[in-house]
Amino acid sequence: MKRAFIFVLLLLLAPLVQAQSEMPVLKIAGDAAQGESYSLSIQIMVMMTLLTLLPAAILSTTSFVRIIIVLSILRQALGTAQTPPNQVLLGVALFLTFFVMSPVIDNIYEAAAKPYIDGEITPQDAFEKGIAPLREFMLAQTRESDLKLFADIARRTDIETPADAPMSIIVPGFMVSELKTAFQIGFLVFIPFLVIDLVVSSVLMSMGMMMLSPMLISLPFKIMLFVLVDGWALVLGTLAKSFFT
């Protein structure tokens, strides 16, 4: 969890690093070897302010989007209304996100966070080295067509390969790709439960029981099917594996 916390701090460090040239009042002069730095109180104040960006950082740069969408579609396919509740789904999605992102978090910790904590590199260097593993992860999950879409919108003709794309293009491209993948997986998850609903509805219609809700009858069968195939392990395992292919 320490490395995960440092990973989040590095995500929130980006605006601080980029704004250094615009905030001369907050700078403390140093020698040529150490460069310039911020006082501890200023760093804490800025960091507490940037914590409000934590949800956006998690949503836009990690596997959280794909996981939570698939879990939400699964709950709707089961027809269990608010079971599992939102808090449970968010908890499962959050910890599965940390599981998927653990290699990236470890790389960021070793390459950027640890040297920065030890005072070996500056915040600018820590950000540049720390963003590289995250950038590599997002590019691996992003379709080239989505990157091209936002590159064309931004009228960037200097981008020849995905590796040349800046973060301002990679992040929206990554989110669009995650939405596409999440709905593709959700479609496959929905089909077996839809078949059960169709069968139950047809049986009720043939028996003349049109006033009885098919959802009421099909719900136990869908839950039984989901339990028999060990559905939670299957869905969560498939979601985790989809990021490592």
Side-chain angles (χ1 to χ4, degrees), residues 191-219:
I191 289 178
F193 303 107
L194 179 61
V195 171
I196 294 178
D197 285 334
L198 290 175
V199 170
V200 171
S201 179
S202 299
V203 171
L204 291 178
M205 288 289 291
S206 64
M207 296 175 62
M209 304 175 66
M210 293 176 292
M211 299 301 295
L212 184 61
S213 173
M215 293 294 296
L216 183 63
I217 305 300
S218 63
L219 179 58

Side-chain angles (χ1 to χ4, degrees), residues 113-136:
K114 190 174 184 299
Y116 174 69
I117 293 173
D118 295 338
E120 299 175 0
I121 58 177
T122 62
Q124 293 92 332
D125 294 334
F127 172 73
E128 293 175 359
K129 293 182 179 181
I131 205 68
L134 188 61
R135 177 190 179 93
E136 181 180 355

Side-chain angles (χ1 to χ4, degrees), residues 2 20 24 27-28 42 52-53 70 76 84 89-90 93 111 131 145 151 175 178 186 198 204 213 222 235:
K2 175 183 177 182
Q20 284 186 351
K27 289 182 177 179
I28 299 176
I42 294 298
T52 57
L53 301 176
V70 172
Q76 186 174 359
L89 288 186
L90 287 173
I131 205 68
S145 59
M175 293 192 69
E178 287 295 283
L198 290 175
L204 291 178
S213 173
K222 290 191 288 187
V235 171

